[in-house]
Amino acid sequence: TGAWHGEVSNSRKDGEKYPEWLSINEVRDAAGAITHYIGIFSDATARKFDGRRLHFVVHYDALTELPNRVLLADRLGQAVAAARRSGEGVAVLFLDLDNFKPVNDTYGHETGDKLLQAVAIRLRGAIRETDTLARLGGDEFVLVVPELEYDGYAEVVAGKCRAALAEPFLVDGHEIRCSASLGIALYPRDGDDYASLVAAADHAMYAAKEGGQRPAGAEASG
């Protein structure tokens, strides 16, 4: 068509590779014959970085680098769609840290933020790569467990999460103990979309908190 543009890989004088945005246009003489090609290029490193940065801001929690509500909704939607095809279940676990406010009140918000980061690291270490752990905000976390072959596995995961938080955290020289109340919702029993499943797991979490902090199902049974 007489023009082309796209991203190519180029090398600097020192051999470093970098992305380059290249636009090429043909030049014709009066008889219509091609006489030249003109190429205009620019370093696309900054643009690619800005694109990755924008993606991170939109989809991830800045403090813990966990998925946020937006990415959680997408991942849970994908898990439910896959479960409809396979016939397997999906579990949604809602985790709320117990007595987190006194940590902020006693040691300050900076220490509280570091505790949340440490909690996120431990929880990520307790789950599978195919699971999605997200932070909704404050001290609330949601875990999506896809490909659930049997309902009881959700409580196994809940036990792993509680065990991960059992050892005290050392933050800014302070030994802080942190437990969590958990609620479990199951697809398709307790809902079939993001809103219904997260709401059911949230409701179950409050039932667990009131009932002595043991994991509860969406019907406050466990």
Side-chain angles (χ1 to χ4, degrees), residues 64-188:
T64 62
E65 299 186 355
L66 293 176
N68 60 15
R69 291 176 185 268
V70 175
L71 187 53
L72 174 67
D74 180 69
R75 296 272 181 86
L76 181 51
Q78 291 182 35
V80 168
R84 288 195 182 104
R85 295 191 296 269
S86 67
E88 295 178 328
V90 178
V92 176
L93 280 68
F94 200 110
L95 293 83
D96 181 83
L97 301 185
D98 300 318
N99 302 316
F100 178 71
K101 185 177 182 299
V103 174
N104 281 334
D105 294 342
T106 303
Y107 304 114
H109 288 278
E110 183 176 349
T111 297
D113 286 347
K114 290 180 181 179
L115 176 61
L116 290 173
Q117 291 171 331
V119 166
I121 291 172
R122 284 202 191 173
L123 290 176
R124 277 187 297 196
I127 62 177
R128 305 172 302 178
E129 290 186 3
T130 53
D131 300 336
T132 296
L133 176 67
R135 180 183 177 226
L136 295 190
D139 60 346
E140 295 180 337
F141 298 84
V142 171
L143 174 61
V144 176
V145 183
E147 301 174 358
L148 199 69
E149 296 182 2
Y150 63 97
D151 293 351
Y153 182 68
E155 293 201 19
V156 173
V157 176
K160 290 181 178 180
C161 291
R162 292 176 66 87
L165 303 180
E167 292 296 321
F169 293 83
L170 185 62
V171 184
D172 290 338
H174 307 292
E175 187 177 279
I176 302 173
R177 292 193 173 275
C178 181
S179 61
S181 296
L182 295 93
I184 300 170
L186 300 174
Y187 166 84

